[in-house]
Amino acid sequence: MPKLFIETLGCAMNSRDSEHIIAQLREREGYTTTQEFKEADLILINTCSVRERPVHKLFSELGVFHKKKKEGAKIGVCGCTASHLGEEIIKRAPYVNFVLGARNVSKISEVLHKDRAVETDINYDESEFAFNDFRTSAYKAFINISIGCDKACTFCIVPKTRGDEISIPADLIINEAQKAVNAGAKEIFLLGQNVNNYGRRFSGDTQKINFTELLHRLSKIEKLERIRFTSPHPFHMDDAFIKEFAHNPKICNSIHMPLQSGSTKILKAMKRGYTKEWFINRVEKLRAESPGVSISTDIIVAFPGENDEDFADTIDVMKRVRFDQIFSFKYSPRPETEAEHLPQIDSEIASQRLSYLQTLNNEILDEIHAECLGNSYRVYFEDLIHDGYVSGRSDNNLLIKVKGSEELLGTFHEVKVNAIGRTILTGEILA
Ligand code: SF4
């Protein structure tokens, strides 16, 4: 059986696309997967282009694959960088056999048998394509609920690589969730660029429901214990959504709310569609309706035009919200985005702001985790980690490890925290 090596960069949606690619190649072409690219008949790299660094990494990696690959092995490039560079990838690396865009995953078999194929149409609609089944984890199922994005955040390349936003029909999503639960998963993780904008547009004649209703229907699936999702957009966080989030017992009490900046002036320049006050208002509403909710976020520092007052606004939001996790980055100009050619903030200032923000974030995290000591949480064990530990997450997304082995995987247990760390807590099983 031919062997496939696939490397996935970037976000959870890329990981799910890689699972779809493996499923198609396994079912249609008889491939098995290998973790060793030197023995692979097909080497795939599923790329990310949200910042410049992953793009640089792509070409250096392609060079290594080309030099060390097995005689006759093929190399393919997929994902967001494939969508926006297209032909240029083959020009710069002529040993690449095909390029498959993030919106064309269902065409993997087609491009495999065509040399130098480039399939990167970002308007191609595979929202109703029923992919074969493959999952990396038996315990948690990632499920796409939409493709593309209709927003126009001025720093973001995603609309140019993943195309317009189309919701996947609810019955396809519910079927996929039911199948995953039948196969043993107790948790589903819904994926989309703007999950709470779900239902605005479908490609076919399907029943229109919104995200709140979709969550409600999914929670009816028996033996499904937990529902998580990413990313909701703060703009679409209406009261009905927050009520369902807070009062549906299967929806985990943790949410990712990408802030990007705490300055209303910068949020306007980013075309995020909300203000500092609206973001804070939604956080207060969430906490009022769902006490103990954990909130994570994304923040970009040094977006063009950000002055000390703007940065101080971001720090102010951090101190008032006390996020449970922050993914923070310096602004990276992306091709074909509205902000691409705006004058840049001095990189020294950008680095200072990022390091100040991350230091403050670590202080807040240490305080939040210190408050967990002695508390007990219901943990769903998903991963075997080093030194005889197994890890899992609490309902409010704390990562907790206990001494144990694989018989704990896929089970829930009450765990008392007896040691804290910045990224993972340690505990003992109570029941
Ligand atoms: S909502 Fe904005 S940041 Fe998110 S994927 Fe769409 S354009 Fe990018």
Side-chain angles (χ1 to χ4, degrees), residues 148-159 165 193-194 231 233 258 260 270-272:
C149 179
D150 276 354
K151 298 272 181 293
C153 304
T154 55
F155 55 83
C156 183
I157 197 172
V158 171
E165 192 168 319
Q193 305 298 344
N194 293 304
S231 278
H233 195 291
Q260 304 299 5
M270 287 175 163
K271 289 194 177 168
R272 288 291 290 167

Side-chain angles (χ1 to χ4, degrees), residues 32-91:
T32 61
T33 53
T34 172
Q35 300 307 314
E36 179 44 62
F37 81 83
K38 292 181 187 139
E39 64 179 44
D41 302 284
L42 174 59
I43 297 169
L44 290 182
I45 185 162
N46 192 357
T47 59
C48 166
S49 56
V50 83
R51 274 172 292 283
E52 193 52 28
R53 192 179 294 165
V55 178
H56 286 310
K57 188 170 177 226
L58 166 65
F59 288 99
S60 58
E61 283 222 79
L62 285 173
V64 174
F65 287 150
H66 177 55
K67 277 206 199 75
K68 300 187 178 164
K69 71 182 175 72
K70 187 167 100 174
E71 181 73 29
K74 286 188 173 181
I75 297 178
V77 176
C78 342
C80 287
T81 307
S83 298
H84 93 101
L85 288 183
E87 296 273 358
E88 196 195 327
I89 292 174
I90 293 184
K91 283 201 194 98

Side-chain angles (χ1 to χ4, degrees), residues 193-212:
Q193 305 298 344
N194 293 304
V195 289
N196 52 352
N197 194 33
Y198 177 82
R200 212 167 62 78
R201 185 154 62 95
F202 294 93
S203 56
D205 175 21
T206 183
Q207 189 200 9
K208 265 186 170 262
I209 63 169
N210 66 18
F211 188 54
T212 302

Side-chain angles (χ1 to χ4, degrees), residues 343-356:
Q344 298 294 301
I345 303 268
D346 172 76
S347 69
E348 191 43 45
I349 293 174
S351 302
Q352 284 164 7
R353 287 180 183 163
L354 186 63
S355 125
Y356 181 89

Side-chain angles (χ1 to χ4, degrees), residues 103 123-129 145-147 164-170 172 198-208:
R103 186 84 171 215
N123 297 311
Y124 180 67
D125 178 3
E126 50 190 18
S127 65
E128 298 191 353
F129 187 88
I145 69 167
S146 63
I147 57 176
D164 293 346
E165 192 168 319
I166 303 177
S167 297
I168 292 170
L172 273 186
Y198 177 82
R200 212 167 62 78
R201 185 154 62 95
F202 294 93
S203 56
D205 175 21
T206 183
Q207 189 200 9
K208 265 186 170 262

Side-chain angles (χ1 to χ4, degrees), residues 384-415:
L384 276 178
I385 54 175
H386 50 78
D387 309 334
Y389 280 92
V390 181
S391 72
R393 289 187 180 272
S394 65
D395 179 64
N396 62 344
N397 212 28
L398 291 167
L399 183 60
I400 301 176
K401 66 178 181 180
V402 300
K403 273 283 181 194
S405 54
E406 61 188 306
E407 87 279 350
L408 281 175
L409 296 179
T411 66
F412 285 91
H413 288 276
E414 208 59 31
V415 174

